[in-house]
Amino acid sequence: MKVIAVVNQKGGVAKTTSTQNIGVGLAKLGKKVLLIDFDPQGNLTSGFGIDKRDLNYTVYDILKTRAFPGPEISVEKVLLEKDNISILPTNIKMSKINIELGGVPGKDNILKEILKEIYGFDYILIDCPPSLDTLTFNALTAADAVYIPVQAEYYALEGISELMDTIDMVKQRLNENLKIAGVFATMLDKRVKLHLEVIKELKKFFGEVMFKTLIRRNVKVSEASSYGKSIFDYDEKSHGAQDYLNLCKEIVEREVN
Ligand SMILES: Nc1ncnc2c1ncn2[C@@H]1O[C@H](COP(=O)(O)OP(=O)(O)O)[C@@H](O)[C@H]1O
Ligand SMILES: [Mg+2]
């Protein structure tokens, strides 16, 4: 079982889109996948066509009831099945958690403890919020590996050094085994010279950690999530589906080597 946190404190770089499509892509390759929506905005949840307002329990309830005394909400109570994968959904209620966990001892270890109760998955992917907050710390503490989606644009590397510092800090204090296992470029337009230059910069900076697969900008990708579907269920022949499937193949190959 490999636990991967999909992290970048920048918003709009395709964390959520990538978590969804990598999740469904890995399931297409025969893997058992659990996706955890860890962003209070709940975009991953709605990306699967799940009505966020209609949830009795969410990830929030699992976290909250483990942080404080009283009966615990089980993982099974929250778990949903969609498109051959399992999802722990979230909604805006979770935005309270950073404040609520404020003085709780061991507040960064809660997700790690929860994952000890979960069996039978090849991959668990955590879609993180666009901030370096308690939720992101929980994800980084629980994870074996970090994937960083980077948008191919002028300011691509902006914020990356802050993110690296945070990951180093988590390694020192909370999770010595954490490693950056993958970086991939998103929303790439090969006709834009600047984008290709950014890719070069990323390769120089990240070396082998950078995935070879580049995720191209493809309107079908954004249409898919607005219809509550993965790219594979929306348009299997699209560039978006091809790119995400190639990325998934690379992910699986890296496990073997
Ligand atoms: N390959 C792509 N082609 C076109 N649009 C994309 C692509 N990937 C993501 N998007 C769009 O970019 C926006 C930001 O993506 P999102 O996954 O929500 O980012 P984040 O989770 O990092 O904030 C969304 O509107 C999404 O539909
Ligand atoms: Mg998101």
Side-chain angles (χ1 to χ4, degrees):
M1 192 165 89
K2 178 135 190 177
V3 182
I4 299 165
V6 181
V7 183
N8 189 331
Q9 78 275 29
K10 239 189 203 186
V13 299
K15 287 182 291 298
T16 302
T17 306
S18 300
T19 306
Q20 175 170 21
N21 292 319
I22 291 171
V24 176
L26 286 170
K28 279 181 117 24
L29 297 177
K31 303 295 175 187
K32 289 273 290 168
V33 180
L34 168 65
L35 301 183
I36 304 180
D37 191 350
F38 231 47
D39 182 351
Q41 290 180 65
N43 293 338
L44 181 68
T45 300
S46 39
F48 280 99
I50 298 163
D51 185 353
K52 288 185 279 197
R53 293 157 307 178
D54 198 31
L55 299 165
N56 289 329
Y57 298 109
T58 66
V59 176
Y60 169 74
D61 299 289
I62 309 177
L63 289 171
K64 176 94 189 274
T65 60
R66 289 205 179 33
F68 297 98
E72 293 183 351
I73 298 293
S74 68
V75 170
E76 289 74 47
K77 269 219 164 94
V78 181
L79 209 60
L80 299 174
E81 304 292 327
K82 277 258 171 184
D83 303 338
N84 269 329
I85 61 174
S86 301
I87 303 164
L88 288 173
T90 295
N91 59 25
I92 196 70
K93 261 200 320 189
M94 193 154 83
S95 57
K96 295 183 286 186
I97 199 88
N98 284 304
I99 292 173
E100 288 175 339
L101 293 182
V104 173
K107 63 177 176 175
D108 296 318
N109 281 303
I110 303 170
L111 182 62
K112 190 186 174 83
E113 292 301 315
I114 293 166
L115 293 191
K116 285 183 186 161
E117 304 164 28
I118 298 179
Y119 296 94
F121 293 101
D122 298 307
Y123 291 92
I124 297 178
L125 272 79
I126 309 163
D127 182 27
C128 289
S131 48
L132 301 173
D133 58 10
T134 305
L135 286 170
T136 299
F137 278 104
N138 264 275
L140 291 174
T141 305
D144 306 304
V146 178
Y147 281 2
I148 308 174
V150 181
Q151 189 180 348
E153 46 144 32
Y154 190 64
Y155 293 111
L157 283 168
E158 191 190 59
I160 291 290
S161 64
E162 195 189 355
L163 179 56
M164 303 298 245
D165 288 348
T166 303
I167 291 168
D168 278 344
M169 198 265 273
V170 170
K171 261 192 195 165
Q172 280 166 35
R173 296 205 204 147
L174 298 159
N175 180 5
E176 60 177 359
N177 298 321
L178 186 67
K179 60 170 192 286
I180 299 175
V183 174
F184 52 90
T186 63
M187 291 182 255
L188 181 85
D189 185 342
K190 285 180 183 158
R191 294 164 303 184
V192 179
K193 198 166 158 239
L194 171 71
H195 282 192
L196 297 174
E197 282 165 17
V198 170
I199 299 302
K200 257 196 212 157
E201 284 294 304
L202 288 171
K203 281 184 183 153
K204 212 160 55 180
F205 191 82
F206 287 107
E208 289 288 284
V209 168
M210 180 98 185
F211 283 108
K212 290 194 182 66
T213 306
L214 305 170
I215 308 293
R216 289 168 283 184
R217 183 176 282 283
N218 177 207
V219 69
K220 300 280 183 189
V221 171
S222 48
E223 281 172 15
S225 31
S226 70
Y227 284 107
K229 290 179 174 179
S230 78
I231 188 61
F232 301 105
D233 295 294
Y234 183 67
D235 187 345
E236 198 160 20
K237 296 204 158 56
S238 62
H239 282 167
Q242 288 167 24
D243 292 347
Y244 275 110
L245 192 64
N246 285 334
L247 183 59
C248 288
K249 287 179 183 162
E250 254 194 275
I251 290 171
V252 172
E253 274 166 27
R254 279 192 184 186
E255 295 303 305
V256 180
N257 300 324

